[in-house]
Amino acid sequence: MSTRHPRIIEVAIPLRLDRTFHYRVPSEMERQDLAGRRALVPFGRRRLTGYILGDVRETPPQELKEIAAVLDPEPLWTDNELEFFRWVASYYLHPLGDVLKTALPAGINIQTPKGAERDGTSLSGGKTVKTEVVFHAAAPGEPVPHLGSKAAAILEVIREGEDVPAAHLRRRFGQCSPQLRRLAELGLVTGTTREVYRNPFSDMMVEQDAPRILSTHQQAALDAVYAALDRHSFAPFLLNGVTGSGKTEVYLQAIARTLEQDKNALVLVPEIALTPQLVRRFLARFGHCIAVLHSGLSDGERYDEWRRIRRGQARIVIGARSAIFAPLAGIGIIIVDEEHEASFKQGDGLRYNARDLALVRGRLERAVVLLGSATPLITSMFAAQQGKMVLLNLPERVEQRPMPAVELASMKGVATAIGPLLAPALEATLAAGEQAIIFLNRRGFATYLICAECDTPLTCPNCSVSLTYHRQRGQSVCHYCDYAIPAPGTCPACGCHELKELGAGTERLEHDLRQLLPQARLLRMDSDTTGGKGSHGRLLARMFDGSADILVGTQMIAKGHDFPGVTLVGVVNAEASLSMPDFRAAERTFQLLSQVIGRAGRGDAPGRVVVQAQSSDHYAIRHAVRHDADAFYRQELEFRREAGYPPFSFLACLGFSGTAEKPVEEHAETMARLLMQLKRERGLRVEILGPAPAPLYRLRGRFRRQILLKAPARNDLRRLLVAWQHGRKPVSAIRETIDIDPVDMM
Ligand code: ADP
Ligand code: ZN
């Protein structure tokens, strides 16, 4: 062993620090492969858990400290993964240590390394590992005298089975530890502890399912993907297929090929809790080599799934956005389903977009990346047009099922929530024994209450929004901070007892439907009715088995559910999402409407859709109603070009917030001046807009200002952001956020 040069390693610390640190490695670890493991390191007066990135080549200054312990017997990450995390940290201007911490399941960090020795706690040694005790018979089955009847019965069960879990015995015999102890003392049974994985889908029974014969369009798309898989190099695809065109079937068959090549598959979906059907289809095709990661898992479940993946016991990982960090080695394909969904963007901490990172990770892993959607992002379509991705089209529904017939109903002058076109359509649907979905993207009974005397609205004291009236709960609630007061209550300004209800939400819609159709069996699905674990599944199941007639809901019902019995879809207040203060408002509205419209007629019966809107002349609504994605794309692209928005510019948004208004205002002004100065010094082409109040000026008691940066070239934007990050002086009372909005990553 060479001792001429002490070995030096680079360590990332999970604190808000823009740099990494160097440590010496104790001589007894001179030869160990350390990259990708955690280490306990001295840091100031503390000892912290850091992440070892790799060796440092140059001769270091003498005063480096030594690491105290290595905490993992096996690396947590591969070299490819570490390179990916470095890229993420650099691109999003986020501390690498915090990126690595974000990438780990919460459970793993629970292990406090207090007193950990140099051989370390193990991946399986944390306290979140779940174990069970199993018993097997030590001696052949001769009768044993002097045993109580309970002990004899227990012994018999153990002799009949293999590795009988103690839990099973307890279920059958009640408390049985004394008997088990006695049997063990007599040398008749042996108990061993083994590790078990908590399986969030253990109660999901699915029937095996075989690949379908593909349509010509599906086959053409799959052939292109196969060819790319066979090349084993990075290949990005955009699978643009209308709702019900069989995109999922293409995913499944592409994955089958990937597995045959001994590679693994990563599948990102917007929100797993909303797509139990998709998980079910994967289970039916591939069985239990699947790991599922999503926000509904307990820490323990998440930690178990993480370890199964790291150990290569799962070949397919399905998860919401954070699954992009899954420790899956040998990735052959990354699929992003519903790539247009805003939920792929993480809104706090490390503000990444998993759809974009799929392309980055895919490139590092030399994998196929398949982005699928019925309504791709404008920027994705543009990238495909520019030849940066291969466009695959599925223009028709499978088995010649028609797209639903859509009618636009003007609600001008109509006072009821269910208008004169939708009401009879609902009645006819119920009379025919079919089902309907009604979509309204607002929950609650009334979206605001105002005083009948002085017109003062009821607003949240912590946020600049009005309170939503929830009649069943008897409260007016803030949907951002959960502030709640008894409702209807009184006017805060004049004390008047009469408050007017304005703006209908799903609770109100349900109420109106009950009056309109008293015999109908109604379900409501929104975040008020789906709080409990598994409540989504129960509501969806009632639509499936036909024990409900109408499902009323928010955008939760727009996603991926395939209800064969639904022939009518109603959209209430189609323009609700157009008023969002966001340049993507039209795009989001078009996507949402197209998805909802696509819920109709997925079984054998043709579908009908009624879209209710106050004013029906907005192009997002017009084109969605006509299923004309191309026309929408052209018009929206024109708007983006004129207004200088992506894909024709690169954006970043700097946010500043604090609990006192004045300091936030002043700090934002100072930062804007600094940005102007840096921009001039470096001759960068970046437009600096603001500071201005953020769209939600007050949120959870914090005042928020923002500066928007807009640049024709990404590199100018990046240089300005880096210069700003190094040049600014942070103020402790003010929180800063950076949102980088990329066009595409290639
Ligand atoms: P998408 O993901 O594009 O909405 P799906 O993959 O869910 O579409 O397909 C819609 C329905 O058609 C599903 O029930 C699916 O099982 C079925 N399907 C898909 N491809 C085929 C095919 N080639 N032949 C018959 N049925 C198919
Ligand atoms: Zn609030």
Side-chain angles (χ1 to χ4, degrees):
M1 191 192 307
S2 158
T3 49
R4 265 189 313 134
H5 302 292
R7 185 176 170 190
I8 310 296
I9 52 172
E10 184 185 13
V11 175
I13 309 278
L15 295 175
R16 295 253 154 198
L17 300 163
D18 294 342
R19 48 164 299 207
T20 55
F21 296 85
H22 293 174
Y23 287 91
R24 269 191 302 130
V25 175
S27 54
E28 68 269 26
M29 285 183 217
E30 192 70 25
R31 287 198 155 169
Q32 278 182 35
D33 186 9
L34 297 176
R37 297 178 209 222
R38 290 173 303 165
L40 192 61
V41 297
F43 192 82
R45 292 167 167 221
R46 292 186 285 173
R47 280 175 150 205
L48 296 177
T49 300
Y51 308 105
I52 303 174
L53 300 168
D55 284 80
V56 178
R57 299 274 159 243
E58 75 270 25
T59 324
Q62 213 47 48
E63 66 272 22
L64 285 184
K65 289 180 188 160
E66 222 176 56
I67 59 172
V70 172
L71 299 174
D72 301 298
E74 314 149 50
L76 301 178
W77 295 296
T78 63
D79 290 347
N80 265 3
E81 286 161 2
L82 288 173
E83 196 185 337
F84 174 59
F85 296 132
R86 279 189 196 266
W87 192 98
V88 170
S90 156
Y91 188 83
Y92 291 114
L93 303 169
H94 196 85
L96 180 56
D98 201 58
V99 171
L100 292 165
K101 190 176 172 193
T102 307
L104 283 175
I108 207 167
N109 288 323
I110 291 171
Q111 306 178 28
T112 36
K114 212 187 301 164
E117 293 308 314
R118 282 198 171 158
D119 58 2
T121 53
S122 74
L123 250 188
S124 56
K127 62 177 159 196
T128 55
V129 170
K130 190 178 172 187
T131 56
E132 66 178 3
V133 178
V134 292
F135 289 94
H136 59 267
E142 300 136 27
V144 183
H146 316 303
L147 274 183
S149 60
K150 186 170 174 183
I154 291 172
L155 178 61
E156 190 160 328
V157 169
I158 293 173
R159 280 179 167 172
E160 274 166 14
E162 277 170 54
D163 289 349
V164 182
H168 171 83
L169 295 170
R170 268 195 301 279
R171 265 197 302 277
R172 180 136 172 212
F173 296 103
Q175 173 57 265
C176 53
S177 319
Q179 288 81 7
L180 284 168
R181 220 173 9 251
R182 171 122 178 87
L183 290 171
E185 279 164 12
L186 292 170
L188 295 166
V189 303
T190 316
T192 42
T193 302
R194 72 177 181 194
E195 198 181 318
V196 289
Y197 294 123
R198 284 148 287 211
N199 180 356
F201 289 96
S202 56
D203 53 353
M204 208 188 238
M205 299 295 284
V206 284
E207 271 176 42
Q208 263 273 301
D209 149 86
R212 301 275 196 295
I213 314 267
L214 297 182
S215 70
T216 30
H217 289 297
Q218 282 176 315
Q219 192 62 54
L222 190 65
D223 286 344
V225 173
Y226 274 3
L229 282 169
D230 293 347
R231 284 195 301 273
H232 299 283
S233 57
F234 173 54
F237 291 95
L238 179 61
L239 179 63
N240 177 20
V242 298
T243 50
S245 60
K247 294 183 292 295
T248 312
E249 187 62 35
V250 174
Y251 302 156
L252 292 168
Q253 298 199 24
I255 291 173
R257 174 74 148 230
T258 308
L259 299 185
E260 278 166 28
Q261 295 179 337
D262 277 332
K263 294 273 185 87
N264 301 320
L266 181 57
V267 183
L268 303 182
V269 297
E271 177 53 76
I272 293 231
L274 301 183
T275 50
Q277 271 183 344
L278 184 115
V279 173
R280 195 180 282 271
R281 282 171 75 180
F282 274 76
L283 284 170
R285 194 66 61 86
F286 299 109
H288 284 274
C289 66
I290 292 173
V292 181
L293 297 169
H294 66 90
S295 58
L297 296 183
S298 67
D299 280 357
E301 285 169 342
R302 183 186 309 276
Y303 179 48
D304 286 356
E305 290 293 74
W306 196 92
R307 284 175 309 133
R308 273 183 68 215
I309 301 165
R310 177 76 301 163
R311 291 169 174 178
Q313 290 160 346
R315 306 281 314 275
I316 303 171
V317 175
I318 308 178
R321 61 174 176 252
S322 64
I324 190 60
F325 301 122
L328 186 67
I331 295 178
I333 191 167
I334 304 179
I335 290 167
V336 183
D337 188 31
E338 311 286 4
E339 65 107 28
H340 64 279
E341 278 286 334
S343 64
F344 286 120
K345 171 83 162 64
Q346 165 76 32
D348 51 39
L350 170 63
R351 292 166 172 247
Y352 63 95
N353 187 319
R355 175 254 173 227
D356 300 333
L357 290 183
L359 292 165
V360 176
R361 193 162 180 196
R363 193 175 47 195
L364 287 169
E365 301 276 354
R366 302 166 151 275
V368 167
V369 178
L370 185 55
L371 309 176
S373 175
T375 50
L377 291 168
I378 295 296
T379 46
S380 295
M381 289 296 284
F382 188 74
Q385 220 173 37
Q386 304 269 299
K388 293 176 175 171
M389 284 192 262
V390 175
L391 183 62
L392 306 171
N393 281 309
L394 302 179
E396 290 158 14
R397 287 187 160 181
V398 294
E399 296 179 327
Q400 274 90 50
R401 285 174 204 156
M403 292 299 282
V406 188
E407 294 149 273
L408 194 54
S410 168
M411 294 297 279
K412 262 200 200 99
V414 179
T416 54
I418 306 289
L421 199 56
L422 185 51
L426 273 169
E427 279 164 21
T429 303
L430 297 191
E434 294 165 356
Q435 293 173 303
I437 287 178
I438 311 237
F439 168 79
L440 169 59
N441 209 13
R442 283 175 172 170
R443 61 195 172 96
F445 196 82
T447 43
Y448 44 103
L449 295 177
I450 67 169
C451 174
E453 285 291 323
C454 69
D455 280 352
T456 305
L458 248 59
T459 54
C460 176
N462 311 315
C463 310
S464 36
V465 294
S466 56
L467 299 177
T468 302
Y469 172 41
H470 290 254
R471 191 153 104 164
Q472 267 163 17
R473 280 166 65 179
Q475 285 181 324
S476 282
V477 182
C478 171
H479 286 176
Y480 290 90
C481 73
D482 291 333
Y483 171 85
I485 50 170
T490 54
C491 170
C494 71
C496 163
H497 283 272
E498 198 184 326
L499 297 171
K500 284 191 287 192
E501 296 160 8
L502 295 178
T506 42
E507 191 186 339
R508 172 66 188 269
L509 199 56
E510 184 190 5
H511 171 267
D512 289 3
L513 281 165
R514 280 194 199 290
Q515 298 203 317
L516 188 69
L517 304 161
Q519 78 287 5
R521 295 162 302 167
L522 281 179
L523 288 181
R524 171 159 60 94
M525 187 155 132
D526 54 32
S527 47
D528 296 320
T529 63
T530 53
K533 201 175 177 180
S535 46
H536 278 106
R538 280 194 295 280
L539 286 173
L540 294 175
R542 289 188 52 198
M543 278 302 276
F544 274 115
D545 65 17
S547 60
D549 302 311
I550 304 178
L551 176 64
V552 176
T554 55
Q555 59 181 341
M556 273 183 194
I557 64 172
K559 303 194 176 148
H561 314 300
D562 216 351
F563 302 112
V566 169
T567 54
L568 175 68
V569 168
V571 177
V572 173
N573 198 355
E575 61 264 269
S577 48
L578 280 175
S579 56
M580 285 189 305
D582 183 334
F583 74 90
R584 287 196 182 84
E587 183 180 18
R588 295 255 158 87
T589 303
F590 177 82
Q591 289 162 344
L592 197 50
L593 283 180
S594 302
Q595 298 283 343
V596 182
I597 289 169
R599 295 303 122 211
R602 312 230 332 165
D604 296 325
R608 178 181 179 194
V609 181
V610 176
V611 174
Q612 296 188 164
Q614 279 299 322
S615 82
S616 48
D617 46 10
H618 194 281
Y619 66 97
I621 296 177
R622 264 198 347 261
H623 295 317
V625 160
R626 287 196 213 126
H627 313 293
D628 198 345
D630 289 342
F632 176 75
Y633 170 69
R634 283 194 302 272
Q635 194 160 352
E636 180 65 10
L637 201 64
E638 216 31 65
F639 157 70
R640 301 284 178 93
R641 195 194 305 275
E642 274 163 25
Y645 281 120
F648 303 103
S649 68
F650 295 80
L651 301 180
C653 184
L654 304 179
F656 307 93
S657 73
T659 49
E661 187 168 13
K662 201 89 197 133
V664 174
E665 240 175 79
E666 283 167 6
H667 184 67
E669 292 290 348
T670 311
M671 291 299 110
R673 278 195 299 275
L674 174 61
L675 285 161
M676 284 306 249
Q677 183 198 334
L678 293 168
K679 168 189 147 160
R680 268 197 306 274
E681 283 169 9
R682 287 165 174 73
L684 300 171
R685 286 217 297 153
V686 181
E687 217 180 317
I688 299 169
L689 303 162
L696 259 172
Y697 179 46
R698 271 196 91 206
L699 183 62
R700 296 182 198 101
R702 303 179 74 85
F703 294 89
R704 304 173 344 128
R705 303 214 144 231
Q706 65 182 34
I707 298 173
L708 190 66
L709 305 177
K710 216 170 170 186
R714 187 200 338 251
N715 207 27
D716 278 16
L717 180 61
R718 179 164 177 82
R719 282 176 59 201
L720 182 59
L721 284 170
V722 169
W724 170 73
Q725 214 185 29
H726 289 146
R728 83 198 196 285
K729 281 192 203 68
V731 174
S732 63
I734 291 172
R735 197 183 294 158
E736 287 174 347
T737 56
I738 311 176
D739 276 279
I740 296 177
D741 188 75
V743 173
D744 62 77
M745 306 302 247
M746 288 160 297

